Amino acid sequence: MSSRGTQWFWPIAILIVLALHVWYPDTGTGILHDTYSPTADGQKAFYRLVSEQAGWTDRNTTPLVRAIQVGYLEPTLCILGPERWPTTSEWEAILDWVAEGGELLLACRGFEEATIPELDIRYVPRDQVGPPDDSLPPQADLLDSPGIAWWTDGRLVAPHSKVLVEYDGTTQAVSGIYGEGRYVVTASSLIFSNQLLTYGDNPVLAMRLLEQVSYLDGVTFDESLNSTGTPKTIGLLFDPDLRPITLQLILLTFLYGWWNSLRFGPWHLPAIRGRHNIVDHTDAVGLAYWRSKNGVAVLRAYVQIIQQQFFERSTGHPNLHLWESAARRLGQTVSSLQESWQQAHGVAQQKHVDRRVAADLIRKLSQLRAAVRL
């Protein structure tokens, strides 16, 4: 039952759910190194930096294969330290897209070795290389500046690609041409993190790496590999593919709750309540007997009333005066009335009597009783 203070809750909640069908806020992927995150490992600063330089930027949360088939991607695709490595089918779609003129910037991360098919590029994580000396400056032909810091998760093995950045004798960034498109691969995504972008000329180096592959006409940052790379329970229901169904179920739940919360009648109960009908108890008893499907109890009670009225209490003999009076008024003989009585009395001795049989006998006895009261 709703109150006056909460009667607007349900319509407001329903309007909010309807609005979410049209506009849904960006909630991120639930990890700390994506382009939504303002943490040290996040890449939100780089996303905003590219947004100021490129003609158009957006984030992709649609599965990569579908996004490429439908044409959701801008000319440049940035995959910066994905939570999971692309599958074989995803790599086939990505490389086909690059071969047709796409521009790919890929930053590796993690502690598992990975290979990029067709490009002959292998990522070797740090635990197979040993910890590097983070105080060493990187060697980068893209930018000759002492104010550069490079933190890495591993190294690259790319014999057929051009080396762009080296660090402590290891290859850290390479570029190349594949079909009609271009690619840049780095061994670390930390150069694009919020923390390193605050150091020296690191923002310039990060943009130079992007410019090696992109004309900055339009850039898409992929978040689908991040969102699908973390375990989910409730969050899975709000993925872009399942979100419309989830919102519809929430809408139906709110409509049902609103419907069941509606009250009927006045807000305040009357000071003087109506009294119950005097025959409510009788109706309740009669309904209980009807549901029992056994009329023997009612029949026995009525037979007992007739016996007390038409028979002498002391001797048990019939009161002939009453029998003759009832017979005269009903236009029947005394013997026929007593026969009806004997029939009802015999049936009342049984354990189960059909309701219709009991009702027929009670009707006959009620006529006998009514004739005496006239």
Side-chain angles (χ1 to χ4, degrees):
M1 182 180 295
S2 61
S3 62
R4 291 182 178 180
T6 60
Q7 62 180 340
W8 292 105
F9 169 78
W10 295 109
I12 292 175
I14 290 172
L15 289 176
I16 292 175
V17 175
L18 290 175
L20 290 177
H21 284 79
V22 181
W23 176 82
Y24 194 86
D26 289 334
T27 56
T29 59
I31 60 177
L32 300 179
H33 57 81
D34 60 4
T35 58
Y36 297 98
S37 175
T39 62
D41 292 337
Q43 300 159 359
K44 188 173 184 179
F46 184 67
Y47 177 81
R48 292 188 173 181
L49 179 62
V50 176
S51 300
E52 295 177 356
Q53 303 295 327
W56 179 264
T57 56
D58 64 353
R59 296 182 177 96
N60 172 62
T61 56
T62 306
L64 271 175
V65 176
R66 180 184 173 189
I68 292 173
Q69 292 175 348
V70 180
Y72 287 166
L73 303 183
E74 297 296 329
T76 303
L77 173 62
C78 292
I79 306 177
L80 306 180
E83 184 68 17
R84 69 171 180 85
W85 196 251
T87 62
T88 302
S89 60
E90 289 171 337
W91 269 124
E92 291 177 354
I94 293 172
L95 294 178
D96 289 343
W97 175 77
V98 173
E100 294 176 359
E103 303 162 351
L104 173 65
L105 173 60
L106 172 66
C108 304
R109 69 178 298 273
F111 300 98
E112 294 184 3
E113 183 174 325
T115 302
I116 303 177
E118 304 296 333
L119 299 184
D120 194 18
I121 298 177
R122 183 163 58 95
Y123 166 69
V124 181
R126 177 184 294 181
D127 59 348
Q128 298 184 30
V129 180
D133 186 358
D134 291 340
S135 63
L136 297 177
Q139 292 78 44
D141 296 335
L142 302 176
L143 181 64
D144 185 13
S145 172
I148 298 177
W150 186 275
W151 297 346
T152 182
D153 291 336
R155 63 185 174 90
L156 297 178
V157 178
H160 303 293
S161 301
K162 178 183 177 181
V163 178
L164 299 178
V165 178
E166 291 184 341
Y167 181 77
D168 195 17
T170 62
T171 301
Q172 294 296 311
V174 298
S175 66
I177 298 175
Y178 183 75
E180 299 295 329
R182 300 183 297 174
Y183 65 87
V184 168
V185 180
T186 66
S188 174
S189 62
L190 295 175
I191 187 62
F192 307 104
S193 65
N194 298 329
Q195 184 176 6
L196 277 189
L197 287 182
T198 62
Y199 180 82
D201 291 331
N202 276 16
V204 180
L205 177 60
M207 287 301 300
R208 292 284 176 85
L209 288 171
L210 178 61
E211 291 170 355
Q212 286 296 305
V213 69
S214 174
Y215 295 107
L216 299 181
D217 294 331
V219 180
T220 297
F221 290 83
D222 180 69
E223 296 294 348
S224 65
L225 297 178
N226 288 325
S227 60
T228 58
T230 55
K232 295 182 179 181
T233 52
I234 301 300
L236 183 63
L237 298 176
F238 292 93
D239 277 350
D241 293 335
L242 295 179
R243 186 187 304 153
I245 300 176
T246 303
L247 292 177
Q248 291 292 332
L249 293 176
I250 295 175
L251 179 62
L252 291 176
T253 303
F254 282 177
L255 288 174
Y256 180 79
W258 190 14
W259 173 49
N260 280 272
S261 67
L262 296 177
R263 61 167 290 133
F264 297 92
W267 288 102
H268 301 287
L269 295 176
I272 301 177
R273 299 185 179 183
R275 296 182 179 181
H276 291 289
N277 192 340
I278 195 171
V279 297
D280 282 352
H281 175 70
T282 306
D283 293 340
V285 173
L287 182 60
Y289 280 135
W290 175 259
R291 290 179 176 176
S292 68
K293 298 182 180 181
N294 188 1
V296 65
V298 183
L299 180 60
R300 286 177 183 174
Y302 213 89
V303 166
Q304 186 177 3
I305 293 175
I306 296 298
Q307 188 172 5
Q308 292 175 356
Q309 187 172 3
F310 283 84
F311 291 84
E312 300 290 344
R313 295 184 179 181
S314 57
T315 63
H317 297 297
N319 189 333
L320 295 178
H321 175 70
L322 291 178
W323 284 99
E324 291 175 353
S325 177
R328 185 170 55 254
R329 290 177 178 177
L330 294 176
Q332 300 182 23
T333 61
V334 174
S335 59
S336 63
L337 293 179
Q338 290 182 347
E339 182 179 353
S340 299
W341 151 255
Q342 292 294 339
Q343 181 184 5
H345 185 271
V347 174
Q349 305 306 315
Q350 301 177 9
K351 294 183 178 181
H352 185 276
V353 179
D354 185 79
R355 295 175 299 184
R356 294 179 177 82
V357 175
D360 184 61
L361 294 175
I362 291 174
R363 189 180 299 109
K364 293 180 180 180
L365 295 180
S366 65
Q367 294 175 357
L368 176 62
R369 187 181 179 192
V372 177
R373 293 182 177 180
L374 293 178

